[in-house]
Amino acid sequence: MPKKFNKAAKLDGIDQKRISLVGKLGCVTRKEARQFIRDSGGILSEKLDKHVEIIVVGADADPLDEPESLLQPWVIEAKNEGRIKIIPEPLFWEQLGIDESVQDEGQLYTPSMLARLLNVPISTIRRWHRRGLIVPTRQFKKLAYFDFQEVASARRIAQLITSGATPQAIETKLSQLSELFPSLNRPLSQLSVIVEGKSILLRRGGGLVEPNGQRRIDFDSLTEEIANNHSDQDQLLSFESTESPNEKTIEDLSSPSEFVRLAIEYEDREDHDSAIQVYRAMALAYGATPSVCFRLAELLYLRGDLAGARERYFVAVELDQTFVEARASLGCVLVELDEKELALSAFQGALDHHSEYPDVHFHLARLLDDLDRPDDAENHWNTFLQLAPKSPWAEEARDRLQADPSN
């Protein structure tokens, strides 16, 4: 699905302005960019020269290593005098009237897809989302969709946690990075970040920079012998948390946010039983909510209690009929419990509320094949590939469509 362009919404003063694109574009292709600029009344200049009036910096250009062309004295002077505008790519397209909310669903990833790509439990992806470590591009009926930049962020978070960093510590350091680079809302994917053990450095020019702004030596540029013998580990910013674990008990909690915070801390430590008890106590104190029931269901599933998970997913859906992720998860658990007809109803109910939910088309296609309904299944395999051609399950879908299910 191509991005939409509203010809009535134009950047102020863009008619007949010469525009140059600098750096790698991340929102649209070069061909699309040329068309959008022409439709807006602007003139695309393939060369950055003194006739250019607007410079658009590509979303995938390294923000720490600006293209050399932007550092030319005449560019700096023209910008300071107001003769040239330098605009980040996402803002430029937004001001041109391109609807960024309408994107190719195949370029976006649901939490299930992201979990599969990173080989982590889906509950982990949702926890990172709740903590703000990854930011969805869009949300529809509680279902988050993540773009390729957040996939990159998630990979780095997984690398840090594997090295021993805690989610709390990562959250703190990301806040520091955001303060250092206020124009960036997703520093892990937008900055040239180097992860080394539990530490993080930013590559800038010929050296490395800590998130506090202090420059450090780029050890990759030194000889192997010097790098191997280097012992000043204080030069790296550690991700180890200096905070002591939360010692609060359930009796100490006085608000829903405190219950959630404590439960997430237990989840981070993979203490699922304690997290379950906190969520149960929260439901007793403040009443059951769809989100609390959903989280309980996930934890019960991780503990191997499929029947308990099924019931909590049922309650989440009963409390919120539009909770499509709960319907999808319920369907998957019902399949595992060999309750296939009920699973069919759960998946179809999810599609009634979100017809373009790629995960559900995938699971429903599999289920219909199991129920010996290959023609119905093929429709959902095709729909799934149209919605999510880059999904980690896309190869399975293509293999299925190329095979003869009747054999």
Side-chain angles (χ1 to χ4, degrees), residues 19 31 43 52 81-82 100 105 191 227 230 232 246 280 303 323 327 332 339 341-342 345 358 366 386:
I19 301 164
K31 181 179 179 181
I43 302 170
V52 169
E81 294 178 355
E100 284 289 349
E105 294 277 33
L191 296 176
H230 183 78
D232 187 5
N246 193 330
R280 288 191 189 279
R303 202 171 64 174
F323 199 159
R327 288 180 178 272
C332 291
E339 299 180 36
E341 292 299 329
L342 272 178
S345 296
R366 272 184 162 185
Q386 291 170 6

Side-chain angles (χ1 to χ4, degrees), residues 201-391:
L201 292 174
L202 313 177
R203 189 179 297 282
R204 186 171 195 173
L208 301 175
V209 185
E210 292 184 0
N212 62 11
Q214 186 173 355
R215 296 188 67 86
R216 295 299 181 192
I217 298 171
D218 184 351
F219 297 114
D220 289 339
S221 66
L222 302 178
T223 64
E224 182 176 353
E225 179 181 0
I226 294 175
N228 288 339
N229 292 332
H230 183 78
S231 61
D232 187 5
Q233 294 303 312
D234 290 337
Q235 289 190 347
L236 300 178
L237 181 66
S238 175
F239 260 99
E240 292 190 60
S241 176
T242 57
E243 301 175 2
S244 58
N246 193 330
E247 300 299 335
K248 282 189 174 182
T249 64
I250 291 177
E251 291 75 17
D252 299 323
L253 306 177
S254 59
S255 69
S257 61
E258 289 186 358
F259 275 89
V260 170
R261 192 176 303 116
L262 180 58
I264 290 176
E265 288 184 13
Y266 282 130
E267 288 184 66
D268 287 340
R269 294 181 233 165
E270 297 188 1
D271 186 349
H272 299 150
D273 288 344
S274 295
I276 286 170
Q277 292 307 311
V278 173
Y279 283 129
R280 288 191 189 279
M282 180 179 175
L284 287 172
Y286 299 99
T289 65
S291 61
V292 167
C293 290
F294 184 80
R295 294 180 194 183
L296 271 171
E298 285 194 315
L299 291 168
L300 291 167
Y301 180 85
L302 288 173
R303 202 171 64 174
D305 184 356
L306 297 187
R310 174 189 57 192
E311 294 312 309
R312 281 296 172 173
Y313 282 132
F314 265 123
V315 175
V317 173
E318 288 167 0
L319 292 173
D320 183 355
Q321 295 290 314
T322 68
F323 199 159
V324 292
E325 225 176 344
R327 288 180 178 272
S329 297
L330 173 60
C332 291
V333 169
L334 289 168
V335 169
E336 288 194 53
L337 291 169
D338 202 29
E339 299 180 36
K340 295 181 179 179
E341 292 299 329
L342 272 178
L344 194 64
S345 296
F347 290 141
Q348 289 173 336
L351 292 181
D352 286 342
H353 291 281
H354 184 16
S355 62
E356 296 185 347
Y357 192 166
D359 300 12
V360 174
H361 284 285
F362 172 80
H363 294 302
L364 185 52
R366 272 184 162 185
L367 178 57
L368 289 167
D369 273 336
D370 287 342
L371 293 172
D372 198 24
R373 295 169 54 181
D375 291 340
D376 291 335
E378 187 166 327
N379 290 333
H380 290 285
W381 285 120
N382 280 313
T383 302
F384 168 71
L385 279 178
Q386 291 170 6
L387 293 171
K390 294 185 179 180
S391 161

Side-chain angles (χ1 to χ4, degrees), residues 49-185:
D49 56 30
K50 296 185 178 182
H51 299 292
V52 169
E53 295 158 283
I54 297 174
I55 298 175
V56 179
V57 182
D60 282 359
D62 190 336
L64 294 178
D65 289 325
E66 289 184 305
E68 242 180 72
S69 55
L70 293 182
L71 302 180
Q72 297 179 74
W74 72 265
V75 174
I76 297 173
E77 180 182 351
K79 179 182 180 298
N80 292 338
E81 294 178 355
R83 292 183 283 111
I84 283 183
K85 291 182 179 179
I86 300 179
I87 304 174
E89 183 193 354
L91 179 60
F92 180 71
W93 300 131
E94 179 183 340
Q95 292 180 334
L96 275 186
I98 297 173
D99 184 1
E100 284 289 349
S101 67
V102 182
Q103 301 187 38
D104 181 354
E105 294 277 33
Q107 305 303 309
L108 299 179
Y109 298 83
T110 63
S112 295
M113 293 180 195
L114 198 49
R116 179 66 178 269
L117 284 171
L118 300 179
N119 194 29
V120 299
I122 187 173
S123 57
T124 298
I125 298 298
R126 294 193 180 109
R127 194 162 69 251
W128 291 353
H129 175 201
R130 290 197 293 270
R131 279 192 172 279
L133 298 180
I134 53 177
V135 182
T137 300
R138 59 171 293 212
Q139 286 187 268
F140 183 80
K141 297 183 179 179
K142 294 188 177 70
L143 175 63
Y145 285 94
F146 301 94
D147 63 14
F148 71 96
Q149 284 189 309
E150 287 311 300
V151 173
S153 291
R155 287 189 191 281
R156 287 178 173 177
I157 291 168
Q159 183 182 356
L160 287 166
I161 290 176
T162 299
S163 299
T166 66
Q168 298 98 313
I170 296 173
E171 189 177 0
T172 299
K173 302 311 176 187
L174 288 181
S175 296
Q176 292 179 356
L177 290 174
S178 296
E179 290 175 5
L180 182 61
F181 300 98
S183 63
L184 304 178
N185 58 2

